[in-house]
């Protein structure tokens, strides 16, 4: 099972890095696997520091701002309790982990991690198709470097419709910001996120 999450790690200059990542959990959730692409800051930070925090969240804007690195204000952070890594103050679950093994022999690394602490935060808002549609759009746009534009462009209108019909105002604003970012990337011809 893959849970789309926000992973926090520490950059080489000591600042915190937030990145949307899929986390693959083992059945009893004592281990997890991350699959960062080579060249991502998350992979570099995990290699250097060997620790981080996976956050389960239901805030579409957090996914969009972490992906695009366009913060009006960065979300409140704190130090994790067991590992030396930054952790969000607001989350549904925060899962501190220690890296046990990195296999970076392919373009997408396998990072095996041991869960060392878990925190339960506020209750989830429940299943919302609008939120899920923003996440799907984020994933598509995060792959702008290697997906054909036609594949992205053909899926956006359907996702937009779901967001408009079922999302809350934050989901709608997050989708708008994401699409602005996408239009900027495609009009400047410089694909890539962050
Ligand atoms: C929901 C979601 C899941 C993602 N999962 C991954 C992933 O598993 N591995 C990866 O390398 N990138 C993934 N991405 C793309 C990264 O978030 C994106 O490339 C980001 O810019 C990497 O940031 P970083 O360089 O700070 O690590 C995902 C994006 C989204 C929106």
């Amino acid at each position: 099972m893959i849970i789309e999450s926000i992973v926090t790690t520490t950059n080489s200059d000591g600042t915190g890095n937030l990145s949307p990542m899929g986390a693959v959990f083992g059945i009893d959730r004592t281990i997890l696997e991350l699959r960062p692409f080579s060249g991502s800051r998350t992979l570099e930070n995990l290699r250097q520091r060997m620790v981080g925090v996976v956050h389960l969240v239901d805030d579409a804007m957090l996914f969009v701002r972490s992906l695009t690195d366009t913060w009006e204000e960065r979300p409140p952070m704190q130090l994790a309790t067991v590992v030396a890594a930054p952790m969000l103050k607001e989350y549904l679950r925060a899962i501190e982990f220690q890296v046990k093994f990195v296999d970076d022999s392919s373009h997408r690394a396998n990072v095996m991690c041991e869960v060392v602490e878990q925190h339960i935060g506020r209750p989830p808002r429940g299943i919302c198709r609008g939120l899920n549609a923003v996440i799907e759009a984020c994933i598509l746009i995060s792959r702008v470097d290697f997906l054909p534009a036609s594949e992205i462009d053909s899926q956006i209108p359907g996702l937009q419709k779901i967001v408009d019909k079922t999302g809350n105002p934050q989901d709608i604003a997050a989708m708008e910001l994401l699409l602005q970012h996408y239009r900027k990337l495609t009009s400047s011809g410089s694909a890539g996120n962050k």
Side-chain angles (χ1 to χ4, degrees):
M1 176 177 63
I2 301 175
I3 307 284
E4 306 307 340
S5 64
I6 300 291
V7 176
T8 50
T9 52
T10 307
N11 294 317
S12 53
D13 63 1
T15 56
N17 190 58
L18 291 92
S19 178
M21 290 270 152
V24 186
F25 284 92
I27 286 171
D28 61 2
R29 294 208 174 193
T30 57
I31 55 167
L32 65 91
E33 183 185 358
L34 296 171
R35 307 223 41 225
F37 285 107
S38 70
S40 65
R41 265 191 255 169
T42 301
L43 177 58
E44 192 47 38
N45 294 347
L46 290 175
R47 270 208 208 98
Q48 296 297 325
R49 311 246 178 180
M50 303 293 278
V51 290
V53 183
V54 165
H55 302 82
L56 311 191
V57 298
D58 57 5
D59 176 347
M61 192 56 101
L62 193 54
F63 276 96
V64 171
R65 291 210 182 273
S66 304
L67 178 69
T68 59
D69 219 6
T70 50
W71 301 99
E72 266 171 3
E73 209 177 306
R74 282 170 76 85
M77 308 281 283
Q78 58 193 329
L79 256 184
T81 60
V82 174
V83 299
M87 181 168 121
L88 291 169
K89 281 196 173 164
E90 205 180 302
Y91 49 79
L92 307 177
R93 292 274 170 124
I95 299 150
E96 301 184 34
F97 63 86
Q98 170 86 49
V99 174
K100 290 291 166 189
F101 177 72
V102 179
D103 173 2
D104 54 8
S105 55
S106 72
H107 180 55
R108 199 168 182 186
N110 287 312
V111 183
M112 296 304 304
C113 311
E114 181 189 352
V115 172
V116 295
E117 184 60 288
Q118 295 204 49
H119 308 269
I120 298 178
R122 67 168 174 75
R125 67 162 135 146
I127 294 168
C128 172
R129 292 177 63 213
L131 167 64
N132 294 351
V134 178
I135 306 301
E136 286 303 325
C138 280
I139 290 176
L140 279 174
I141 288 168
S142 78
R143 296 178 176 174
V144 70
D145 282 331
F146 48 90
L147 278 184
S150 58
E151 190 171 330
I152 300 177
D153 294 341
S154 65
Q155 293 187 56
I156 293 295
L159 294 169
Q160 176 81 71
K161 205 165 159 187
I162 296 172
V163 175
D164 290 344
K165 207 163 130 187
T166 66
N168 68 16
Q170 288 76 27
D171 299 330
I172 292 167
M175 187 70 165
E176 205 175 302
L177 184 67
L178 180 67
L179 293 183
Q180 265 173 27
H181 172 76
Y182 177 53
R183 281 192 287 270
K184 225 185 272 173
L185 285 179
T186 48
S187 69
S188 69
S190 67
N193 294 295
K194 288 200 173 171

